[in-house]
C-alpha cells in the first residue's frame, strides 16, 4: 500500500479541480467586526498546523479570506475559546493529551460555552480510531475525517461546506433573534400611552434592533382632502432633539427633509450609506416616517427585519391613535374639550385622597333656562354658548381650578375655596356672552360641597353636589346651596327605608286594610277604600306618607300596586260570596303605577284571575295626575272604562282643575278632600268649597263622596248640602279583611233588627 498522501502532496489535477468549486458571487454577510472567516486549528502536532495553514491560507471562501487561530492542546483551546469571538470552523484532533480529549472538548464547547453556531470537523491521525456514533450525533459534529483523507481539495471542500453551514445557521439565528427582538419591541411599545410616547419608543427600539445609538426623528404627514400638510415632528432622539415639536421643512434640515419626502413618495424604506429612512403606512390619510443616522449600511437581514418591524409599528401607531381617541372620548367632553363626568370623578378621588382636600370646594354650575335658549335659537347657537361658558370659567377662575362639563348644561368647578365660591362663580354671569354677534344674558344656579366636610368617594361628592343643586333650584333660581351633613343623613335614611321596604314586601310585613264608605241618608255601608299599611316586626307602623313616595321613586310601587289591586279584588269576591252584592271596592292608583305601559294589562289580568266584577271596582287617581298630559290621560281612561271599571278623582279641589277639561274626562265620582271637610265647621264660609264640589258633581252627573268625616256635625252639614256618601272615623276606621267581614255582618244584623 502506498503511504498516506499528506495535504502538501496534492497533484496539479487536484489544484486544478479547485476551479470547479467557485460559485456565483454572494453578498457578504457580516458575522463580526472583521470581514473574514475565522478557523481554529486544535492539534498537538505542529506540522498539522503549518500544513493546514499552507493549504488554505491563500484561498477565499464565499469571497472572504480565512484567518487562523491555533491551539496545541485541549486545555489551551478551552482558554482561547472563552475569549476568541466569531469562530466559524474548528478543525479538532480527536486524540491529544488523552485518547478522548477531543470529544471532551466538544462537550465543553457545546454544553459549557454554549457555542452552538460553530462548525466542528474532527480529525484523527490514528487509523482505525473512530469516535462514538452517539458523540457525533449528540454534539452536532459537522464531519469526521482521518488526516490521511484530507488532501488539499478535500480539505478545502470540507471547510467550505462547514463555512456555508455556519453562514446559514448565523443567518437563521440572526433572523430569529431579530424577530424575537421585534416581538419584544412591539410588546414594550404597546405599554406606552399616547402617540408621542409611542413614537419616541419606536426610535429607541430601532436603535436596539440595529445595535446602535438612536439618533433620529419621527414625523407624521397628514393628507386631508385639500392636500398634504407639512411634516410634523412627533419624536426625536439623540443629536436631533433640537427638532422637537416643530414643522420640519427644507430650511430646518434639507438632508432629512429630502430623505423623508423620498420615502413618503415611494411609500417604502430607503437605505443610505449612513442613514435609513423608514416608512410606516398609516390609516385615514396619515403616514408616519422616521429618519435615523447609522454608522454602517444595514445588512440584507437587517433590511428584512426592519420591514417586519415597520409593519408592526404601523399597526401599533394606528392602534395607539385609536386608543388615544377612545381615551379622549371616554374622559373628555367632545364639544368643550373639558373633562367629563368620568374624568372628574378620577380627579375628585385624587383630591380627596390628598392634602388639597382640606381647602377644596366642588361646585355644580347649572345654566338657568338653557333649554329654552336652545329651542329658541337652535342647537348650533346653544353649542357656541356652552363653549363660551366653558372658556370663561377656565380663563377667569385660573389655572389651578379644574373645570369640567358633566351634563348638557351643567358644568363643574373644583378648586380652592377662595376661588370656588358662589360670589366668584355667579359674578361671571353678570356680563352677557357674545355669541355670533348677539349678546346673551345667562344666569346659573349652584350646588356646592366642601370636601373637608364630605365623607366618601369622588362619585359620592358629585352626588352630594347634585343634591345641593336640586335644593337650590327648588328654592331660588340664580342662587346657591351648600350640601350639609343633615342632608346626607336624610338621603341615607331614604335609602335605608327603600331597602327595608323591599325586605318588608318580601316578608309579608305589608298588608291591606279597608275603610268603609257610607250612605249618609241610610248610614249603611256601600263600599270600602283599600289602603296599604306597613307594620314592622317590633309592632311599629310606618306612615304611608313616608314609604309610598319612596316606593314611587324606587319603582317598587309597580309591584306593590299590582299586589294591592289583586288583594282588594279577591276581598271583593269574598264579600260577594258572603252576601254583600252591591258593595263597591275603591283602589288607589299611584301616578307612577298609572303611567306604567303595562298597567292596563295588569288591571285586566287581576280582574280575570280573581273573578272580581269590574262594575264593582273603582280606581282612584289624584287631581294632580288628571291635570298632567290630558290627551294621554283621556285615552287611558277610555281604555279603562272599556273594562267596566269606574274612575274617581281623589283629593278634588286641591289641584285647581280646569272645568272645561274636567268635562272631557270619563270619570264617575269626585272625592271631596278631607281639608275642605274639616273647614265646613270652622267658619261661616267654610262649607263653600265643599258645597261647590257637590253642586259641580250634580251638574256633571257625577257621584260625590266626602272623606275624613270625623264628627256628626260634619256629616249633617254634608248631607244638608246634598252630599250622598262619606267615609271617616265617625263611621269606621280602616280595618283588616276579617274585621271588615265581621263589621258588615253586624251592620246587616242591626239593619234587620
Amino acid at each position: 500500500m502506498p503511504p498516506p498522501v499528506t495535504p502538501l502532496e496534492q497533484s496539479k489535477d487536484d489544484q486544478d479541480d479547485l476551479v470547479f468549486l467557485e460559485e456565483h458571487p454572494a453578498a457578504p454577510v457580516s458575522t463580526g467586526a472583521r470581514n473574514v472567516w475565522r478557523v481554529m486549528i486544535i492539534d498537538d502536532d505542529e506540522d498539522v498546523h503549518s500544513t493546514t495553514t499552507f493549504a488554505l491560507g491563500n484561498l477565499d471562501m464565499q469571497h472572504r479570506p480565512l484567518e487562523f487561530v491555533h491551539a496545541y492542546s485541549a486545555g489551551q483551546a478551552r482558554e482561547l475559546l472563552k475569549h476568541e469571538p466569531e469562530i466559524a470552523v474548528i478543525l479538532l484532533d480527536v486524540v491529544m493529551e488523552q485518547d478522548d480529549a477531543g470529544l471532551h472538548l466538544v462537550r465543553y464547547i457545546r454544553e459549557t460555552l454554549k457555542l452552538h453556531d460553530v462548525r466542528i470537523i474532527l480529525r484523527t491521525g490514528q487509523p482505525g480510531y473512530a469516535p462514538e456514533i452517539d458523540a457525533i450525533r449528540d454534539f452536532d459534529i459537522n464531519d469526521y475525517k482521518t488526516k490521511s483523507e484530507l488532501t488539499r481539495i478535500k480539505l478545502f471542500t470540507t471547510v467550505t461546506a462547514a463555512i456555508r453551514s455556519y453562514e446559514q445557521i448565523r443567518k437563521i439565528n440572526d433572523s430569529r433573534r431579530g424577530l424575537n427582538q421585534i416581538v419584544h419591541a412591539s410588546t414594550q411599545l404597546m405599554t406606552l400611552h399616547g402617540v408621542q410616547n409611542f413614537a419616541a419608543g419606536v426610535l429607541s427600539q430601532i436603535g436596539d434592533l440595529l445595535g446602535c445609538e438612536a439618533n433620529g426623528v419621527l414625523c407624521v404627514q397628514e393628507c386631508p382632502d385639500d392636500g398634504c400638510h407639512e411634516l410634523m415632528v412627533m419624536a426625536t432622539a439623540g443629536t436631533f432633539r433640537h427638532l422637537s415639536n416643530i414643522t420640519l421643512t427644507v430650511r430646518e434640515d434639507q438632508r432629512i427633509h429630502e430623505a423623508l419626502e423620498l420615502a413618503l413618495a415611494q411609500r417604502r424604506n430607503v437605505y443610505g450609506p449612513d442613514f435609513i429612512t423608514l416608512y410606516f403606512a398609516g390609516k385615514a390619510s396619515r403616514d408616519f416616517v422616521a429618519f435615523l443616522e447609522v454608522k454602517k449600511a444595514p445588512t440584507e437581514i437587517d433590511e428584512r427585519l426592519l420591514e417586519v418591524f415597520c409593519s408592526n409599528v404601523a399597526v401599533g401607531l394606528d392602534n395607539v391613535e385609536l386608543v388615544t381617541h377612545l381615551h379622549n372620548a371616554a374622559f373628555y367632553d367632545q364639544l368643550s374639550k373639558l373633562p367629563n363626568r368620568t374624568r372628574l370623578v378620577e380627579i375628585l378621588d385624587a383630591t380627596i385622597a390628598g392634602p388639597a382636600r382640606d381647602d377644596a370646594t366642588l361646585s355644580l354650575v347649572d345654566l338657568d333656562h338653557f333649554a329654552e335658549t336652545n329651542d329658541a335659537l337652535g342647537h348650533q347657537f346653544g353649542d357656541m354658548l356652552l363653549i363660551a361658558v366653558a372658556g370663561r370659567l377656565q380663563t377667569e377662575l385660573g389655572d389651578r381650578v379644574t373645570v369640567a362639563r358633566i351634563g348638557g348644561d351643567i358644568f363643574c368647578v373644583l378648586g380652592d375655596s377662595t376661588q370656588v365660591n358662589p360670589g366668584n362663580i355667579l359674578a361671571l354671569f353678570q356680563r352677557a356672552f357674545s355669541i355670533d354677534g348677539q349678546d346673551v344674558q345667562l344666569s346659573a344656579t349652584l350646588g356646592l360641597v366642601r370636601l373637608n366636610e364630605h365623607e366618601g368617594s369622588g362619585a359620592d361628592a358629585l352626588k352630594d353636589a347634585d343634591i345641593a343643586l336640586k335644593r337650590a333650584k327648588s328654592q331660588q333660581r340664580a342662587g346657591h346651596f351648600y350640601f350639609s351633613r343633615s342632608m346626607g343623613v336624610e338621603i341615607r335614611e331614604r335609602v335605608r327605608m327603600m331597602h327595608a321596604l323591599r325586605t318588608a314586601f318580601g316578608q309579608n310585613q305589608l298588608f291591606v286594610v279597608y275603610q268603609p264608605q257610607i250612605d249618609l241618608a241610610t248610614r249603611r255601608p256601600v263600599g270600602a277604600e283599600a289602603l296599604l299599611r306597613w307594620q314592622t316586626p317590633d309592632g311599629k307602623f310606618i306612615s304611608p306618607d313616608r314609604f309610598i313616595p319612596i316606593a314611587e321613586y324606587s319603582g317598587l310601587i309597580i309591584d306593590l300596586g299590582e299586589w294591592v289591586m289583586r288583594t282588594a279584588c279577591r276581598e271583593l269576591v269574598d264579600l260577594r260570596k258572603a252576601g254583600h252584592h252591591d258593595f263597591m271596592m275603591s283602589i288607589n292608583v299611584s301616578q307612577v303605577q298609572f303611567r306604567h305601559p303595562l298597567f292596563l294589562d295588569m288591571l285586566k289580568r287581576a280582574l280575570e284571575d280573581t273573578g272580581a266584577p269590574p262594575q264593582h271596582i273603582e280606581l282612584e287617581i289624584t287631581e294632580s295626575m288628571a291635570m298632567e298630559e290630558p290627551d294621554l290621560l283621556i285615552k287611558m281612561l277610555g281604555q279603562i272604562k272599556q273594562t267596566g271599571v269606574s274612575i274617581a278623582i281623589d283629593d278634588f279641589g286641591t289641584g285647581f282643575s280646569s272645568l272645561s277639561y274636567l268635562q272631557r274626562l270619563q270619570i264617575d265620582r269626585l272625592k271631596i278632600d278631607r281639608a275642605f271637610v274639616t273647614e265646613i265647621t270652622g267658619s261661616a264660609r267654610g262649607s263653600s268649597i265643599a258645597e261647590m264640589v257637590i253642586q259641580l258633581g250634580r251638574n256633571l252627573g257625577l257621584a260625590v263622596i266626602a272623606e275624613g268625616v270625623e264628627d256628626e256635625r260634619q256629616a249633617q252639614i254634608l248631607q244638608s248640602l246634598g252630599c250622598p256618601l262619606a267615609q271617616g272615623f265617625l263611621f269606621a276606621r280602616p280595618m283588616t279583611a276579617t274585621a271588615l267581614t265581621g263589621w258588615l255582618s253586624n251592620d246587616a244584623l242591626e239593619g234587620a233588627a
Side-chain angles (χ1 to χ4, degrees):
M1 295 254 331
V5 179
T6 67
L8 296 178
E9 295 175 331
Q10 299 178 80
S11 66
K12 185 176 183 300
D13 292 338
D14 285 342
Q15 296 180 29
D16 292 341
D17 287 343
L18 294 180
V19 175
F20 298 102
L21 296 175
E22 293 295 331
E23 296 182 343
H24 296 293
V29 177
S30 176
T31 59
R34 291 168 290 179
N35 200 25
V36 297
W37 299 117
R38 307 194 75 212
V39 178
M40 175 175 276
I41 305 170
I42 306 173
D43 202 300
D44 56 359
D45 187 343
E46 294 186 8
D47 289 341
V48 172
H49 286 264
S50 60
T51 55
T52 302
T53 304
F54 180 77
L56 301 177
N58 295 324
L59 299 176
D60 284 353
M61 295 184 183
Q62 302 290 92
H63 298 278
R64 294 191 205 175
L66 302 183
E67 179 182 275
F68 297 97
V69 178
H70 299 275
Y72 296 92
S73 67
Q76 185 182 10
R78 287 172 184 256
E79 294 302 316
L80 286 172
L81 286 168
K82 290 179 182 179
H83 310 290
E84 290 289 342
E86 305 294 339
I87 301 295
V89 179
I90 294 176
L91 296 171
L92 174 60
D93 187 11
V94 177
V95 181
M96 289 182 287
E97 298 99 315
Q98 292 88 27
D99 290 346
D100 57 355
L103 293 181
H104 285 296
L105 181 58
V106 171
R107 181 187 295 273
Y108 177 78
I109 292 170
R110 297 301 192 206
E111 295 183 352
T112 303
L113 297 181
K114 306 294 184 184
L115 299 176
H116 300 294
D117 297 351
V118 62
R119 302 294 86 206
I120 299 175
I121 300 171
L122 294 182
R123 299 193 296 184
T124 181
Q126 299 182 14
Y129 179 85
E132 299 175 4
I133 293 177
D134 290 345
I136 295 176
R137 181 190 64 221
D138 296 342
F139 296 126
D140 187 19
I141 294 172
N142 208 63
D143 205 349
Y144 170 71
K145 300 288 184 182
T146 62
K147 294 179 182 179
S148 61
E149 291 181 88
L150 290 175
T151 60
R152 188 182 186 212
I153 183 64
K154 290 181 179 179
L155 180 61
F156 178 85
T157 302
T158 301
V159 173
T160 299
I163 286 176
R164 286 175 180 165
S165 177
Y166 172 77
E167 182 182 26
Q168 292 300 321
I169 290 172
R170 289 304 302 270
K171 284 183 177 180
I172 292 171
N173 288 342
D174 286 347
S175 298
R176 183 186 295 113
R177 280 191 293 270
L179 290 172
N180 287 338
Q181 193 165 352
I182 289 173
V183 171
H184 175 73
S186 300
T187 303
Q188 293 294 106
L189 289 172
M190 289 311 297
T191 64
L192 302 176
H193 298 289
V195 179
Q196 280 72 24
N197 290 337
F198 187 92
V202 169
L203 294 177
S204 175
Q205 294 293 348
I206 294 172
D208 291 344
L209 191 62
L210 296 175
C212 65
E213 185 179 355
N215 292 310
V217 58
L218 191 147
C219 300
V220 60
Q221 185 181 63
E222 296 189 33
C223 296
D225 295 337
D226 58 349
C228 290
H229 288 170
E230 296 287 347
L231 291 167
M232 303 298 299
V233 176
M234 298 185 66
T236 59
T239 57
F240 293 91
R241 295 194 184 280
H242 64 285
L243 298 176
S244 297
N245 301 318
I246 67 166
T247 299
L248 185 62
T249 62
V250 174
R251 185 174 58 185
E252 296 292 342
D253 194 307
Q254 182 175 355
R255 181 175 73 124
I256 296 177
H257 188 272
E258 290 178 352
L260 296 180
E261 288 287 357
L262 178 61
L264 287 167
Q266 297 183 359
R267 300 179 67 83
R268 65 177 182 87
N269 297 343
V270 177
Y271 303 102
D274 59 353
F275 72 90
I276 61 172
T277 309
L278 303 180
Y279 172 76
F280 311 97
K283 294 180 180 178
S285 302
R286 287 169 62 88
D287 289 332
F288 302 89
V289 63
F291 176 93
L292 279 93
E293 284 186 341
V294 294
K295 294 182 179 179
K296 61 179 180 178
T299 66
E300 179 183 355
I301 291 177
D302 290 336
E303 292 182 8
R304 291 178 181 176
L305 290 173
L306 286 171
E307 289 176 3
V308 175
F309 179 76
C310 289
S311 297
N312 282 5
V313 168
V315 174
L317 281 166
D318 285 333
N319 289 341
V320 169
E321 285 205 301
L322 175 61
V323 169
T324 301
H325 175 74
L326 292 175
H327 178 272
N328 289 335
F331 293 100
Y332 291 88
D333 173 55
Q334 298 305 294
L335 177 65
S336 65
K337 309 306 178 186
L338 295 175
N340 62 12
R341 178 184 293 270
T342 304
R343 178 62 183 137
L344 176 64
V345 169
E346 291 184 342
I347 297 171
L348 276 169
D349 285 334
T351 303
I352 291 172
R357 168 181 182 164
D358 294 338
D359 300 315
T361 294
L362 170 69
S363 175
L364 291 185
V365 182
D366 186 6
L367 305 183
D368 296 330
H369 310 298
F370 179 78
E372 290 87 336
T373 303
N374 232 7
D375 293 340
L377 302 176
H379 290 280
Q380 183 176 359
F381 188 93
D383 287 347
M384 290 190 291
L385 185 55
L386 290 172
I387 293 172
V389 172
R392 185 175 293 183
L393 289 172
Q394 281 185 297
T395 302
E396 303 200 16
L397 290 177
D399 295 337
R400 298 181 63 184
V401 170
T402 297
V403 180
R405 180 180 177 225
I406 64 170
D409 59 351
I410 300 180
F411 293 86
C412 190
V413 180
L414 172 66
D416 191 275
S417 300
T418 58
Q419 296 168 288
V420 182
N421 57 65
N424 286 350
I425 298 174
L426 294 178
L428 301 180
F429 293 89
Q430 293 178 0
R431 305 192 320 272
F433 293 86
S434 179
I435 307 296
D436 201 17
Q438 302 292 324
D439 285 345
V440 181
Q441 189 66 55
L442 281 179
S443 64
T445 305
L446 312 183
L448 303 101
V449 177
R450 297 180 180 92
L451 294 189
N452 62 353
E453 299 177 3
H454 166 74
E455 295 180 0
S457 65
D460 294 331
L462 200 55
K463 292 175 184 176
D464 291 347
D466 187 57
I467 293 169
L469 177 61
K470 285 183 171 61
R471 184 69 60 89
K473 291 167 67 174
S474 67
Q475 292 182 353
Q476 178 189 1
R477 281 286 187 173
H480 71 277
F481 200 92
Y482 275 94
F483 182 83
S484 64
R485 293 183 185 272
S486 61
M487 293 171 63
V489 171
E490 179 183 340
I491 295 298
R492 285 192 291 273
E493 175 60 23
R494 290 180 187 173
V495 173
R496 186 201 64 77
M497 181 169 286
M498 180 185 69
H499 291 302
L501 180 59
R502 289 188 181 276
T503 302
F505 185 40
Q507 296 179 353
N508 300 319
Q509 295 176 21
L510 299 172
F511 58 97
V512 178
V513 295
Y514 305 89
Q515 184 170 35
Q517 296 174 335
I518 306 298
D519 184 321
L520 284 175
T522 64
R523 300 298 175 101
R524 300 295 299 275
V526 295
E529 179 182 2
L531 302 168
L532 184 61
R533 293 292 184 263
W534 176 11
Q535 185 176 23
T536 61
D538 59 3
K540 294 181 180 178
F541 283 91
I542 308 297
S543 170
D545 292 340
R546 291 183 61 195
F547 72 81
I548 292 296
I550 291 175
E552 290 180 329
Y553 296 148
S554 65
L556 183 59
I557 194 66
I558 304 301
D559 293 334
L560 274 176
E562 184 177 11
W563 176 75
V564 170
M565 183 185 298
R566 287 177 170 272
T567 302
C569 286
R570 283 194 295 268
E571 175 61 15
L572 176 64
V573 171
D574 291 342
L575 290 174
R576 289 175 63 82
K577 290 179 181 178
H580 307 288
H581 298 289
D582 295 328
F583 202 80
M584 179 69 71
M585 183 64 72
S586 295
I587 304 170
N588 288 285
V589 178
S590 161
Q591 181 173 6
V592 176
Q593 182 186 4
F594 188 75
R595 296 188 182 280
H596 192 278
L598 298 179
F599 173 73
L600 190 62
D601 293 334
M602 293 178 186
L603 173 61
K604 291 178 179 179
R605 284 199 305 269
L607 294 172
E608 181 180 350
D609 294 346
T610 62
Q615 64 273 19
H616 289 279
I617 297 292
E618 178 182 73
L619 300 184
E620 294 188 10
I621 63 174
T622 63
E623 186 180 8
S624 59
M625 286 171 57
M627 292 301 101
E628 293 187 8
E629 300 185 60
D631 293 335
L632 181 62
L633 180 71
I634 291 171
K635 179 181 177 181
M636 186 66 173
L637 291 181
Q639 293 173 331
I640 291 175
K641 292 289 289 182
Q642 289 177 5
T643 67
V645 172
S646 58
I647 305 292
I649 294 185
D650 194 11
D651 303 332
F652 189 78
T654 61
F656 307 103
S657 299
S658 167
L659 297 182
S660 62
Y661 169 56
L662 189 63
Q663 284 184 302
R664 298 171 58 196
L665 298 179
Q666 299 185 48
I667 58 176
D668 302 280
R669 183 152 63 175
L670 301 178
K671 292 191 74 173
I672 304 174
D673 186 70
R674 66 177 62 250
F676 303 129
V677 172
T678 302
E679 289 179 359
I680 62 176
T681 56
S683 64
R685 300 180 59 185
S687 63
S688 58
I689 295 180
E691 183 178 5
M692 180 188 68
V693 174
I694 295 168
Q695 186 63 39
L696 178 65
R698 183 181 299 115
N699 293 340
L700 294 177
L702 303 176
V704 177
I705 183 171
E707 61 180 352
V709 179
E710 297 186 357
D711 59 49
E712 185 61 37
R713 186 181 176 196
Q714 292 172 346
Q716 290 178 359
I717 294 175
L718 287 169
Q719 185 178 0
S720 66
L721 293 173
C723 180
L725 305 173
Q727 68 183 81
F729 288 175
L730 172 63
F731 312 109
R733 291 178 177 271
M735 61 189 75
T736 64
T738 303
L740 176 63
T741 302
W743 186 83
L744 290 175
S745 298
N746 291 334
D747 182 79
L749 291 174
E750 292 174 2

